Amino acid sequence: MNLEKLLEWRRSYRKFDETKLISKEDIGDILNSIKFASCVNNRQYLRFISVEDKSKVLEVFENTKWAASLPNNLGRPKVGERPVYFIAILSDNDKKLKFNGIDEGLVISNLTITAAEKGIGSCIIGSINDKKMREILNYEDNYSCEVVIAFGYPKVNSIIKEIDTTEDQSYYLDNNGNYIVPKYKISEIVRRI
Ligand SMILES: Cc1cc2nc3c(=O)[nH]c(=O)nc-3n(C[C@H](O)[C@H](O)[C@H](O)COP(=O)(O)O)c2cc1C
Protein backbone atom coordinates (compact mmCIF):
# COMPACT_ATOMS: atom_id res chain seq x y z
CA MET A 1 0.00 0.00 0.00
CA ASN A 2 1.41 3.42 -0.83
CA LEU A 3 1.53 6.04 1.92
CA GLU A 4 -1.66 7.81 0.87
CA LYS A 5 -3.64 4.55 0.87
CA LEU A 6 -2.10 3.59 4.20
CA LEU A 7 -3.10 6.91 5.78
CA GLU A 8 -6.60 6.48 4.37
CA TRP A 9 -6.85 2.96 5.79
CA ARG A 10 -5.49 4.06 9.15
CA ARG A 11 -8.87 5.07 10.57
CA SER A 12 -10.31 4.43 14.01
CA TYR A 13 -11.54 0.83 14.23
CA ARG A 14 -13.93 -0.33 16.92
CA LYS A 15 -14.64 -3.93 15.92
CA PHE A 16 -11.80 -6.42 15.91
CA ASP A 17 -11.39 -10.14 15.37
CA GLU A 18 -10.67 -11.15 18.95
CA THR A 19 -9.42 -14.57 17.85
CA LYS A 20 -6.53 -12.99 15.90
CA LEU A 21 -3.70 -12.08 18.22
CA ILE A 22 -0.88 -9.72 17.29
CA SER A 23 2.46 -11.50 17.16
CA LYS A 24 5.22 -10.51 19.58
CA GLU A 25 7.35 -9.60 16.58
CA ASP A 26 4.72 -7.19 15.25
CA ILE A 27 4.30 -5.71 18.74
CA GLY A 28 8.07 -5.19 18.80
CA ASP A 29 7.95 -3.38 15.44
CA ILE A 30 5.06 -1.18 16.57
CA LEU A 31 6.91 -0.24 19.76
CA ASN A 32 10.12 0.38 17.83
CA SER A 33 8.38 3.18 15.92
CA ILE A 34 8.42 5.23 19.15
CA LYS A 35 12.04 6.13 18.59
CA PHE A 36 11.36 7.63 15.17
CA ALA A 37 8.98 10.24 16.57
CA SER A 38 10.15 13.82 16.87
CA CYS A 39 9.64 15.36 20.29
CA VAL A 40 10.22 18.72 21.86
CA ASN A 41 13.93 19.39 22.44
CA ASN A 42 14.43 15.63 22.07
CA ARG A 43 13.64 15.29 25.79
CA GLN A 44 11.70 12.00 25.38
CA TYR A 45 9.63 12.50 28.50
CA LEU A 46 6.85 10.13 27.48
CA ARG A 47 6.73 6.59 28.83
CA PHE A 48 4.73 3.64 27.56
CA ILE A 49 3.14 0.48 28.86
CA SER A 50 2.71 -2.31 26.34
CA VAL A 51 -0.34 -4.19 27.61
CA GLU A 52 0.06 -7.69 26.18
CA ASP A 53 -1.27 -9.91 28.96
CA LYS A 54 -4.85 -10.93 28.08
CA SER A 55 -6.34 -10.29 31.52
CA LYS A 56 -4.74 -6.83 31.65
CA VAL A 57 -5.97 -6.08 28.12
CA LEU A 58 -9.50 -6.91 29.21
CA GLU A 59 -9.19 -4.84 32.38
CA VAL A 60 -8.04 -1.81 30.38
CA PHE A 61 -10.83 -2.43 27.86
CA GLU A 62 -13.44 -2.52 30.63
CA ASN A 63 -12.36 0.99 31.58
CA THR A 64 -12.53 2.61 28.15
CA LYS A 65 -15.41 4.38 26.45
CA TRP A 66 -16.11 4.00 22.74
CA ALA A 67 -17.77 5.97 19.96
CA ALA A 68 -19.40 8.88 21.76
CA SER A 69 -21.09 9.90 18.49
CA LEU A 70 -23.07 6.67 18.19
CA PRO A 71 -26.26 6.06 20.19
CA ASN A 72 -26.88 3.22 22.68
CA ASN A 73 -23.26 2.21 23.08
CA LEU A 74 -23.44 0.91 19.51
CA GLY A 75 -19.77 1.55 18.92
CA ARG A 76 -18.52 -0.41 21.92
CA PRO A 77 -16.86 -3.65 20.81
CA LYS A 78 -18.81 -6.72 21.94
CA VAL A 79 -17.30 -10.00 23.13
CA GLY A 80 -15.49 -11.41 20.11
CA GLU A 81 -14.80 -7.89 18.78
CA ARG A 82 -12.66 -6.49 21.56
CA PRO A 83 -9.11 -5.23 21.03
CA VAL A 84 -6.32 -7.70 21.73
CA TYR A 85 -3.60 -5.24 22.63
CA PHE A 86 -3.23 -1.78 24.20
CA ILE A 87 -0.46 0.75 24.51
CA ALA A 88 -0.84 3.25 27.34
CA ILE A 89 1.02 6.54 27.03
CA LEU A 90 2.27 8.07 30.25
CA SER A 91 3.09 11.75 30.72
CA ASP A 92 5.52 12.88 33.37
CA ASN A 93 3.60 15.38 35.53
CA ASP A 94 6.77 17.04 36.84
CA LYS A 95 8.41 17.50 33.47
CA LYS A 96 5.36 18.09 31.34
CA LEU A 97 6.07 20.78 28.74
CA LYS A 98 3.70 22.94 26.76
CA PHE A 99 4.14 20.64 23.78
CA ASN A 100 3.36 17.38 25.58
CA GLY A 101 0.21 16.86 23.52
CA ILE A 102 2.12 17.32 20.29
CA ASP A 103 4.70 14.76 21.41
CA GLU A 104 1.87 12.34 22.18
CA GLY A 105 0.22 12.96 18.81
CA LEU A 106 3.40 12.38 16.86
CA VAL A 107 4.18 9.14 18.63
CA ILE A 108 0.57 7.94 18.26
CA SER A 109 0.85 8.53 14.52
CA ASN A 110 3.96 6.40 14.33
CA LEU A 111 2.41 3.61 16.39
CA THR A 112 -0.85 3.49 14.47
CA ILE A 113 0.70 3.81 11.00
CA THR A 114 3.24 1.09 11.76
CA ALA A 115 0.36 -1.12 12.89
CA ALA A 116 -1.74 -0.20 9.84
CA GLU A 117 1.06 -1.23 7.50
CA LYS A 118 0.67 -4.72 8.99
CA GLY A 119 -3.11 -4.71 8.57
CA ILE A 120 -3.61 -4.01 12.27
CA GLY A 121 -6.32 -1.49 13.12
CA SER A 122 -6.32 0.84 16.08
CA CYS A 123 -8.41 3.28 18.04
CA ILE A 124 -7.07 6.14 20.12
CA ILE A 125 -8.98 6.25 23.40
CA GLY A 126 -8.97 9.43 25.44
CA SER A 127 -12.06 8.52 27.47
CA ILE A 128 -10.22 6.87 30.30
CA ASN A 129 -9.72 7.56 33.95
CA ASP A 130 -6.14 8.05 35.15
CA LYS A 131 -6.93 6.75 38.65
CA LYS A 132 -8.38 3.54 37.26
CA MET A 133 -5.51 3.09 34.78
CA ARG A 134 -3.01 3.56 37.63
CA GLU A 135 -4.71 0.74 39.57
CA ILE A 136 -4.56 -1.59 36.57
CA LEU A 137 -1.16 -0.68 35.17
CA ASN A 138 0.62 0.27 38.38
CA TYR A 139 2.69 3.24 37.26
CA GLU A 140 4.56 5.73 39.42
CA ASP A 141 2.80 8.67 41.10
CA ASN A 142 4.48 11.31 38.95
CA TYR A 143 3.05 9.85 35.75
CA SER A 144 -0.44 10.19 34.41
CA CYS A 145 -2.21 8.46 31.58
CA GLU A 146 -4.46 10.54 29.36
CA VAL A 147 -4.64 8.24 26.39
CA VAL A 148 -4.41 4.57 25.47
CA ILE A 149 -4.41 3.02 22.01
CA ALA A 150 -6.38 -0.12 21.26
CA PHE A 151 -5.20 -2.52 18.56
CA GLY A 152 -6.56 -5.54 16.73
CA TYR A 153 -7.35 -6.90 13.28
CA PRO A 154 -10.46 -5.01 12.11
CA LYS A 155 -13.68 -6.83 11.30
CA VAL A 156 -15.27 -3.86 9.53
CA ASN A 157 -14.24 -1.17 7.09
CA SER A 158 -13.97 2.51 7.76
CA ILE A 159 -14.62 4.76 4.81
CA ILE A 160 -13.99 8.45 4.45
CA LYS A 161 -16.69 10.63 2.92
CA GLU A 162 -15.91 14.17 1.81
CA ILE A 163 -18.30 16.81 3.14
CA ASP A 164 -18.73 20.58 3.23
CA THR A 165 -18.05 22.41 6.50
CA THR A 166 -21.78 23.15 6.77
CA GLU A 167 -22.55 19.41 7.05
CA ASP A 168 -22.54 17.22 10.16
CA GLN A 169 -19.09 15.72 10.74
CA SER A 170 -20.28 12.97 13.10
CA TYR A 171 -19.31 9.48 12.02
CA TYR A 172 -22.00 6.86 11.58
CA LEU A 173 -22.52 3.23 10.59
CA ASP A 174 -23.82 2.03 7.23
CA ASN A 175 -26.18 -0.95 6.88
CA ASN A 176 -23.27 -3.40 7.04
CA GLY A 177 -21.86 -1.93 10.24
CA ASN A 178 -19.00 -0.19 8.45
CA TYR A 179 -17.93 3.21 9.70
CA ILE A 180 -18.49 6.23 7.49
CA VAL A 181 -16.21 9.04 8.60
CA PRO A 182 -17.05 12.46 7.15
CA LYS A 183 -14.02 14.67 6.54
CA TYR A 184 -14.12 18.26 5.38
CA LYS A 185 -12.99 19.00 1.83
CA ILE A 186 -9.42 20.25 1.86
CA SER A 187 -10.39 23.21 -0.31
CA GLU A 188 -12.76 24.33 2.46
CA ILE A 189 -10.31 24.15 5.36
CA VAL A 190 -7.07 25.21 3.70
CA ARG A 191 -6.40 28.66 2.31
CA ARG A 192 -3.61 28.54 -0.23
CA ILE A 193 -1.78 31.81 -0.73
C1 LIG B 1 -7.13 12.46 21.24
C2 LIG B 1 -8.18 11.50 20.75
C3 LIG B 1 -9.02 10.87 21.66
C4 LIG B 1 -9.98 9.96 21.22
N1 LIG B 1 -10.75 9.31 22.14
C5 LIG B 1 -11.65 8.38 21.72
C6 LIG B 1 -12.40 7.65 22.67
O1 LIG B 1 -12.28 7.83 23.88
N2 LIG B 1 -13.26 6.69 22.21
C7 LIG B 1 -13.41 6.44 20.86
O2 LIG B 1 -14.19 5.55 20.51
N3 LIG B 1 -12.71 7.13 19.94
C8 LIG B 1 -11.82 8.08 20.34
N4 LIG B 1 -11.06 8.75 19.41
C9 LIG B 1 -11.22 8.47 17.99
C10 LIG B 1 -11.98 9.57 17.26
O3 LIG B 1 -13.35 9.46 17.54
C11 LIG B 1 -11.70 9.44 15.75
O4 LIG B 1 -10.35 9.76 15.54
C12 LIG B 1 -12.61 10.36 14.92
O5 LIG B 1 -13.95 9.96 15.02
C13 LIG B 1 -12.20 10.37 13.46
O6 LIG B 1 -12.15 9.08 12.93
P1 LIG B 1 -10.84 8.57 12.24
O7 LIG B 1 -9.82 8.35 13.34
O8 LIG B 1 -11.19 7.31 11.55
O9 LIG B 1 -10.38 9.67 11.32
C14 LIG B 1 -10.11 9.68 19.83
C15 LIG B 1 -9.26 10.32 18.91
C16 LIG B 1 -8.30 11.19 19.36
C17 LIG B 1 -7.38 11.84 18.34
Side-chain angles (χ1 to χ4, degrees), residues 69 161 163-172 180-184:
S69 289
K161 184 186 161 214
I163 55 163
D164 296 326
T165 49
T166 49
E167 293 177 75
D168 184 0
Q169 91 299 341
S170 306
Y171 51 87
Y172 55 93
I180 310 296
V181 187
K183 297 282 184 188
Y184 295 139

Side-chain angles (χ1 to χ4, degrees), residues 7-14 64-69 75-77 108 122-128 146-148 158-160 169-171 179 181-183:
L7 291 173
E8 192 176 346
W9 190 86
R10 196 278 316 260
R11 304 264 54 76
S12 295
Y13 291 96
R14 299 184 182 85
T64 49
K65 293 203 177 96
W66 295 68
S69 289
R76 185 172 183 81
I108 289 170
S122 58
C123 191
I124 304 161
I125 305 281
S127 303
I128 52 162
E146 288 148 10
V147 67
V148 300
S158 182
I159 299 141
I160 280 180
Q169 91 299 341
S170 306
Y171 51 87
Y179 275 77
V181 187
K183 297 282 184 188

